[in-house]
Amino acid sequence: MSAITPAPATPKGAREVLSLLNPAPAWKREFAGYGQEKFLKDLLAGVTVAIVALPLALAFGVVSGAGAAAGVITAIIAGLVAAVFGGSRYQVTGPTGAMTVVLLPIISQYGMTQVYVIGIMAGLMLVVIGLARLGRVIDRIPWPVITGFTNGIAVIIALQQVPAALGLKAPHGETILPTTWAVVQDFLARPHWAPLGLTLVSFGIMLLWPRVTTRVPAGIVALLVVTGAATALHLDVPRISDIPKGLPLPHLPALNFSELPALVGPAVSVALLAGIESLLSAIVADGMARVRDYRPNRELVGQGLANIVSPLFGGIPSTGAIARTAVGVKSGAQTRMTAIIHAAVLLVIVLSLGRYAALVPLAVLSGILLNTAYRMFEVDAVKALQRSTKSDFVTMLATMGVTVVFDLILAIEIGLLIAGLLFIQRLVHTPTLHEMDIDRNAPREANVELLKERVLAFRVDGPLFFAVSGRMLEHLTSQQEVDVIVLRMRRATSLDASGAHALEAIFDDLTGRHIKLLFSGLQDQPRALLRRMDLYGKLTTGGEHDFEGTTDAITHAWSHVHRRVQGHPWPA
């Protein structure tokens, strides 16, 4: 009897790669103990996000040049696929302002058919990046570069609204500044005030309505009020086109293989933007929910699959949407079911109300997006960077300027180049984090075994810059089942804005889990920088948790542990 040859085992590396394409483990972990209470919270959050997403999807579809229908289709299809396969339980995916900034010149140069091809190519790139486990590389972009990048996008989104706000068509062009100036000149030659008036009313509603109530989203109020006024007054203003009464059947876009090499560059731009914005959105969502749960590589795979599938239905490239994701978290989202429900509700709206889209003036969408740009511009971050180091501020300004004048990907490249050169110039040696022995610094009255169990002390060696702040953040926020963490900063002679931002993130995470953060040996430069960025008082509890020596910090830590064991409230 011949022996049966067993099938060769799948190599461990291959299994890990294939696991990123299988959503079942993530779903099993996330939905453990899922019941009616959590579902009702997801249902409410999903409906709320859908109502917020509808005007934004219409607006981003129109401003990208693909049309309102493409925006809504993207929100439905990409939102569903990314929710099923992604690595964040809170992420809501769809068309975004940042992506429209990239798509507008691409559509102008290559046409809509090629945009579908570019979306699929970008999706494939994202899947490969995720399977190669490079998610953490994208996650390491310095904070000044991100701030400049985000603020530059906000400026471009605002400038993109000028044509629709003035009731004119934007001329074809690669960069936003010349096209905006041309539109303003046309308006001054032949002014038409009705679109501008509707835009201002829409923007005013978006700005003021949240002061009245947040239960009804301002975007829906602006959409209904301005559309109703324009229709009742029979205003002659440009309006969006009909939305199909259902989803189109999937089909492959026309493909000319000889043109593929020319599309690689735009596809790389779309893929990088989709990856960066989606991971930023996932990080923001985890921060709001006070968890650290997202999986960057799985999230990139999910976003890649979303960008592969969406163009088959006529959708445009998509990313994780920070604003809609934040609305979901604030509305009580528990799992990725919120994003799935959001997609389903949008589909119901399209099937039942799509025919009324022809009544919506483009000006109302301009007002909505002007408000988006206004809220997107990070004034506090700019002020903090201005008070930090000159190199951080210059990096932010350069990234922002290149974003507005040229394009997003070049801006990131320039920002990273400047940040890297300045970092190398001031970097003397790589900082490290070492756990310290508690025994040597324990006070006499302390229960040493309990102290060692409930207190951790770390020594930071070397300057704390952007290149290592992420690793430090990950390590310290992963600590569990302790009452106090002490950071000995005597050898951390230098601190930049990203390092300070990481310390704030560490403090917020630990505070949310009722873990105290104490500092010892804080040097003059880090202390001065934290003061300039208005972080010193927060991080050190007004200086009460800033100690000259580690022994003093450990003694104070024991007072926290002792009081907690005795059942007393936390001291200041």
Side-chain angles (χ1 to χ4, degrees):
M1 185 174 178
S2 59
I4 299 175
T5 305
T10 306
K12 181 180 178 182
R15 288 199 305 269
E16 291 178 351
V17 168
L18 292 174
S19 69
L20 293 173
L21 295 171
N22 178 16
W27 278 64
K28 185 177 180 181
R29 175 176 56 86
E30 193 170 316
F31 285 87
Y34 191 76
Q36 183 179 3
E37 183 180 353
K38 286 189 175 182
F39 174 74
L40 290 177
K41 289 182 179 180
D42 279 337
L43 179 62
L44 177 61
V47 172
T48 304
V49 173
I51 294 173
V52 171
L54 177 61
L56 291 174
L58 292 170
F60 288 136
V62 170
V63 79
S64 71
V72 178
I73 289 171
T74 304
I76 295 171
I77 301 298
L80 176 62
V81 175
V84 171
F85 292 95
S88 169
R89 68 172 62 196
Y90 304 110
Q91 186 85 280
V92 178
T93 297
T96 64
M99 189 58 76
T100 63
V101 171
V102 170
L103 291 181
L104 197 60
I106 291 177
I107 292 174
S108 175
Q109 182 175 354
Y110 297 100
M112 269 310 303
T113 300
Q114 300 293 45
V115 167
Y116 300 139
V117 178
I118 289 170
I120 294 173
M121 293 172 64
L124 290 170
M125 292 177 186
L126 283 172
V127 170
V128 171
I129 293 172
L131 294 179
R133 299 186 174 275
L134 298 177
R136 291 295 181 189
V137 175
I138 295 179
D139 197 14
R140 293 291 182 262
I141 297 177
W143 186 47
V145 176
I146 293 295
T147 302
F149 173 74
T150 304
N151 287 347
I153 289 172
V155 172
I156 294 177
I157 291 174
L159 293 175
Q160 283 178 340
Q161 307 321 305
V162 172
L166 301 179
L168 298 171
K169 270 194 170 185
H172 291 292
E174 294 266 336
T175 55
I176 193 68
L177 293 177
T179 55
T180 303
W181 177 241
V183 168
V184 171
Q185 287 181 311
D186 287 347
F187 175 79
L188 293 176
R190 296 179 300 277
H192 181 32
W193 299 104
L196 182 58
L198 294 178
T199 299
L200 293 176
V201 171
S202 176
F203 179 74
I205 292 173
M206 293 294 298
L207 201 62
L208 301 176
W209 181 258
R211 300 182 184 180
V212 178
T213 180
T214 56
R215 293 185 177 182
V216 181
I220 291 296
V221 176
L223 198 68
L224 295 176
V225 170
V226 177
T227 300
T231 303
L233 297 174
H234 304 288
L235 296 179
D236 181 21
V237 293
R239 302 174 190 260
I240 70 176
S241 58
D242 284 312
I243 296 178
K245 296 179 181 179
L247 293 178
L249 293 174
H251 63 281
L252 286 171
L255 181 61
N256 186 340
F257 287 98
S258 63
E259 297 177 351
L260 285 182
L263 303 181
V264 171
V268 170
S269 299
V270 169
L272 286 176
L273 177 60
I276 292 167
E277 190 173 12
S278 297
L279 292 183
L280 280 176
S281 178
I283 292 170
V284 168
D286 274 14
M288 292 178 63
R290 294 192 177 277
V291 298
R292 193 163 180 83
D293 186 55
Y294 87 103
R295 303 293 194 270
N297 296 310
R298 183 177 292 279
E299 181 62 23
L300 291 178
V301 170
Q303 293 295 331
L305 293 174
N307 278 285
I308 292 171
V309 177
S310 179
L312 301 180
F313 290 84
I316 57 178
S318 62
T319 77
I322 295 176
R324 276 154 276 175
T325 300
V327 168
V329 176
K330 290 179 181 178
S331 301
Q334 301 293 302
T335 67
R336 63 188 71 226
M337 189 61 69
T338 291
I340 294 173
I341 292 171
H342 134 273
V345 172
L346 284 177
L347 178 59
V348 171
I349 293 174
V350 167
L351 295 176
S352 58
L353 302 175
R355 62 183 181 276
Y356 296 109
L359 300 176
V360 179
L362 293 178
V364 66
L365 304 182
S366 294
I368 290 171
L369 291 185
L370 281 172
N371 180 74
T372 299
Y374 169 74
R375 295 184 182 280
M376 190 175 179
F377 195 92
E378 299 181 4
V379 176
D380 291 340
V382 172
K383 291 180 179 178
L385 286 166
Q386 189 176 17
R387 293 192 296 264
S388 62
T389 62
K390 288 183 180 179
S391 59
D392 286 320
F393 190 58
V394 167
T395 300
M396 186 275 297
L397 287 179
T399 305
M400 180 177 167
V402 175
T403 299
V404 176
V405 177
F406 297 102
D407 64 73
L408 303 180
I409 303 306
L410 180 61
I412 292 177
E413 293 171 351
I414 295 295
L416 288 174
L417 178 62
I418 294 174
L421 291 175
L422 293 172
F423 173 70
I424 292 171
Q425 183 180 14
R426 64 190 174 185
L427 184 63
V428 178
H429 58 281
T430 303
T432 53
L433 198 64
H434 298 287
E435 188 169 353
M436 298 177 62
D437 187 2
I438 297 290
D439 291 0
R440 296 168 53 188
N441 299 285
R444 292 181 179 179
E445 68 275 13
N447 179 333
V448 176
E449 290 303 316
L450 180 61
L451 186 67
K452 291 168 64 176
E453 180 183 342
R454 306 305 304 174
V455 176
L456 289 175
F458 296 94
R459 185 182 75 243
V460 182
D461 288 343
L464 185 55
F465 293 148
F466 73 82
V468 295
S469 58
R471 294 199 302 272
M472 181 176 174
L473 173 63
E474 284 183 10
H475 186 73
L476 291 180
T477 55
S478 67
Q479 304 300 324
Q480 304 289 337
E481 303 301 329
V482 296
D483 295 329
V484 184
I485 289 180
V486 177
L487 284 185
R488 185 177 187 271
M489 303 285 287
R490 192 170 302 280
R491 298 184 184 180
T493 54
S494 298
L495 180 73
D496 72 352
S498 292
H501 188 62
L503 288 176
E504 183 183 24
I506 291 167
F507 177 87
D508 290 340
D509 178 86
L510 297 179
T511 301
R513 293 188 282 130
H514 305 293
I515 299 173
K516 290 293 181 181
L517 179 64
L518 310 181
F519 294 88
S520 73
L522 197 61
Q523 296 296 296
D524 291 339
Q525 189 274 340
R527 183 183 286 111
L529 178 66
L530 292 175
R531 289 187 188 278
R532 291 200 302 272
M533 294 180 69
D534 292 332
L535 291 176
Y536 178 79
K538 173 183 178 180
L539 299 185
T540 66
T541 317
E544 293 294 325
H545 291 164
D546 178 12
F547 299 92
E548 177 63 25
T550 304
T551 301
D552 295 334
I554 298 296
T555 301
H556 190 80
W558 167 245
S559 71
H560 283 292
V561 173
H562 182 65
R563 289 177 64 86
R564 194 166 205 186
V565 170
Q566 296 297 320
H568 295 298
W570 282 106

